[in-house]
Amino acid sequence: MPLDIVVGAQWGDEGKGRVIDLLSGRANIVARYSGGDNAGHTVTVGDRTFKLHLLPSGIVHPHTIGLLGNGMVINPATLLEEIKQVREAGIEINQDRIRISHAAHLITPGHLALDAAREEARGAGKIGTTRRGIGPAYTSKVNRSGLRMESILDPDLFLAALSAHIGDVNHQLEALYGAEPLKSEEIIAAYRVYGDQLRPYIGEIGALAAKALAAGEKILAEGAQGTLLDLDHGTYPYVTSSTPTAPGALVGLGLGVGSADQVIGVVKAFQTRVGEGPFPTELEGELAARLRGTGENEWDEFGTTTGRPRRVGWLDLILLRYAVRINGISELALTKLDILSGLRTIKLATTYRIGTEITETLPLGPADLAAVQAVYEEVEGWSEDLTGIRSWEGLPQAARDYVSTIEDRVGVPVKIISVGPERSQVIQR
Ligand code: GDP
Ligand code: IMO
Ligand code: MG
């Protein structure tokens, strides 16, 4: 059996956790391949809701094995806290069920402090990061001065390397940002304990994954963030520092190019974004408030990781076509269709206007979005509540037309339609 890759087709928070939970019923291995605890993936089963930041969402299914890939950056404090919470919810976590790549990088308090200092220094030009130390941790990696998980295996060398890293960070904090230095001894004491707790989970996961594929097992790779936050292909510089797009799954798990089968793109029925950066279909006012929700419901548009209200807008089909191309998306999972119920009409951006010109493509990719104006197609809305519907035929005609319009304009089938956060609230075609 092959590797299937689930990616976010927008700016993150598309409902990847919800879709992974659905698909991992049939997977042997579930694997996170990029990012860190900037991610927040929600899985709702019955009346229980799990919020996963580092563990793969498919771990909620007791039969799966979870991998944390070499493409990730891992804050050990968050990971251990998450393991504790998931265990308390009755899910078994042990060194046979969870394996962490020896080549994943550690996030330290130094990276958190640098993330905050750099955001402050950017002022009005800030990126709006999650302040989880993601950018600085990947900077250490690319700079070849990062701390890899494998360093934990030799406690003395690990703590010496950590001490040198904190010294280096303190130099930067004081010299570049005029910030307070960190207390090295406290960090070293904490990381000694984290190291002892995480050591049994560390190994070479690429070999394990390849062996599973060769034995006919199925691996589901769980993307974090989204296509438009990709370091290379997103709305640079308003991006994250990793490769959340589908090729990142191969690099981030150590698998060959021929391994991948389906690429499932998760797309929300409208568009959201947290943090700064261009957003051509962004809405303000009453309509925005209507799509965002008040925060009363678990699924309203407030960040899973930071609680920030998300910016909202109409679905952007130009960007969705781009996501299909960049990832090689073979099918789409459309989420939150239920939220559009009750709107008289719904808009979809189909082209952009740049000056006097109408275009269907992005001249220089999404980094160039600031200058464009979205041009919309308007379709009929529907008033029916969709949350109890479980079949394509059961959907109101206008909702079916909305889905068909997306398929038609993007050229990829919508195989999954989610009409609520709970595992069973889905239509599979
Ligand atoms: P992720 O980061 O892509 O995994 O998405 P998040 O978990 O951050 O945000 C998606 C939110 O929408 C979560 O609160 C989900 O429970 C919720 N959700 C997912 N699918 C649906 C759906 O079809 N309808 C509704 N109402 N909520 C959904
Ligand atoms: P999931 O996996 C939505 C955004 C941040 C910011 C930018 C850079 O839940 O979809 P970073 O902390 O990564 O340096 O921030 O990326 N961002 C996300 N937005 N969902 C996410 O993850 C995100 N992870 C990062 O808001 O704009
Ligand atoms: Mg999220």
Side-chain angles (χ1 to χ4, degrees):
M1 269 308 271
L3 166 75
D4 286 349
I5 305 171
V6 175
V7 293
Q10 296 160 310
W11 278 293
D13 301 326
E14 298 89 348
K16 298 176 293 293
R18 186 258 181 280
V19 171
I20 287 275
D21 172 61
L22 186 75
L23 298 176
S24 52
R26 300 192 297 267
N28 306 87
I29 292 179
V30 288
R32 269 283 303 271
Y33 60 85
S34 73
D37 60 351
N38 47 349
H41 298 171
T42 315
V43 174
T44 305
V45 186
D47 56 8
R48 296 203 305 167
T49 292
F50 301 88
K51 290 187 187 296
L52 288 316
H53 300 281
L54 287 164
L55 295 173
S57 300
I59 204 72
V60 170
H61 288 271
H63 70 273
T64 57
I65 289 178
L67 305 182
L68 280 73
N70 56 276
M72 293 185 73
V73 286
I74 298 172
N75 182 329
T78 328
L79 178 58
L80 287 163
E81 177 59 28
E82 187 169 326
I83 288 176
K84 180 169 159 267
Q85 283 178 10
V86 165
R87 271 198 186 123
E88 281 167 6
I91 292 167
E92 195 175 329
I93 303 288
N94 58 49
Q95 65 193 70
D96 296 323
R97 260 212 98 187
I98 295 291
R99 305 299 300 158
I100 305 172
S101 168
H102 69 289
H105 277 248
L106 279 160
I107 292 181
T108 70
H111 295 129
L112 297 175
L114 285 174
D115 199 355
R118 286 177 188 163
E119 280 287 88
E120 297 300 336
R122 284 187 193 107
K126 73 177 197 287
I127 291 166
T129 75
T130 60
R131 302 207 176 196
R132 295 296 189 274
I134 306 298
Y138 280 114
T139 302
S140 295
K141 173 178 174 172
V142 175
N143 194 31
R144 294 161 293 183
S145 60
L147 292 159
R148 304 215 304 182
M149 275 289 166
E150 66 198 351
S151 64
I152 286 177
L153 300 176
D154 185 327
D156 291 340
L157 282 181
F158 171 52
L159 297 176
L162 180 64
S163 174
H165 158 77
I166 297 298
D168 180 53
V169 169
N170 279 343
H171 179 66
Q172 292 183 57
L173 287 174
E174 291 184 279
L176 298 179
Y177 304 106
E180 282 294 305
L182 301 171
K183 294 199 173 69
S184 185
E185 310 75 49
E186 286 173 19
I187 296 169
I188 289 170
Y191 274 64
R192 185 192 299 278
V193 177
Y194 300 152
D196 289 344
Q197 292 178 328
L198 289 178
R199 198 167 294 118
Y201 294 94
I202 298 167
E204 213 280 80
I205 60 133
L208 193 154
K211 195 169 156 205
L213 287 178
E217 293 189 357
K218 179 166 176 147
I219 302 182
L220 198 58
E222 172 175 354
Q225 288 78 54
T227 304
L228 303 170
L229 290 171
D230 185 282
L231 180 59
D232 289 80
H233 303 294
T235 46
Y236 192 89
Y238 302 100
V239 292
T240 190
S241 297
S242 66
T243 305
T245 45
L250 304 175
V251 182
L253 293 170
L255 289 168
V257 171
S259 315
D261 188 29
Q262 301 298 314
V263 178
I264 299 124
V266 184
V267 55
K268 209 176 273 187
F270 47 102
Q271 199 88 11
T272 64
R273 158 162 226 174
V274 256
E276 308 303 316
F279 186 165
T281 61
E282 185 166 14
L283 290 166
E284 310 272 349
E286 228 171 86
L287 201 46
R290 160 69 182 74
L291 288 176
R292 184 180 300 118
T294 54
E296 241 166 88
N297 303 305
E298 187 83 57
W299 56 83
D300 287 346
E301 297 295 348
F302 292 81
T304 308
T305 296
T306 56
R308 290 179 289 177
R310 295 178 187 145
R311 299 158 65 192
V312 297
W314 297 120
L315 184 58
D316 188 325
L317 295 180
I318 304 103
L319 291 178
L320 185 55
R321 278 198 293 270
Y322 175 79
V324 167
R325 168 161 74 80
I326 290 293
N327 292 289
I329 288 172
S330 50
E331 57 187 83
L332 290 168
L334 183 70
T335 62
K336 298 194 93 166
L337 190 62
D338 53 298
I339 299 298
L340 299 183
S341 289
L343 297 172
R344 204 171 48 77
T345 57
I346 301 169
K347 287 186 182 178
L348 295 145
T350 49
T351 53
Y352 291 144
R353 189 195 313 278
I354 306 175
T356 53
E357 208 181 310
I358 297 287
T359 175
E360 292 196 16
T361 49
L362 302 161
L364 294 178
D368 207 27
L369 278 181
V372 311
Q373 256 186 313
V375 178
Y376 296 99
E377 178 173 335
E378 196 158 351
V379 298
E380 284 297 302
W382 59 90
S383 57
E384 294 89 336
D385 173 10
L386 305 187
T387 56
I389 295 172
R390 300 289 176 268
S391 72
W392 174 247
E393 293 73 27
L395 284 172
Q397 185 62 45
R400 273 186 282 169
D401 289 346
Y402 184 68
V403 176
S404 301
T405 303
I406 295 169
E407 289 181 316
D408 181 59
R409 300 294 188 277
V410 173
V412 174
V414 175
K415 294 236 176 128
I416 295 170
I417 301 168
S418 177
V419 290
E422 207 278 327
R423 186 180 275 174
S424 65
Q425 290 182 297
V426 72
I427 297 164
Q428 298 201 61
R429 296 164 80 198

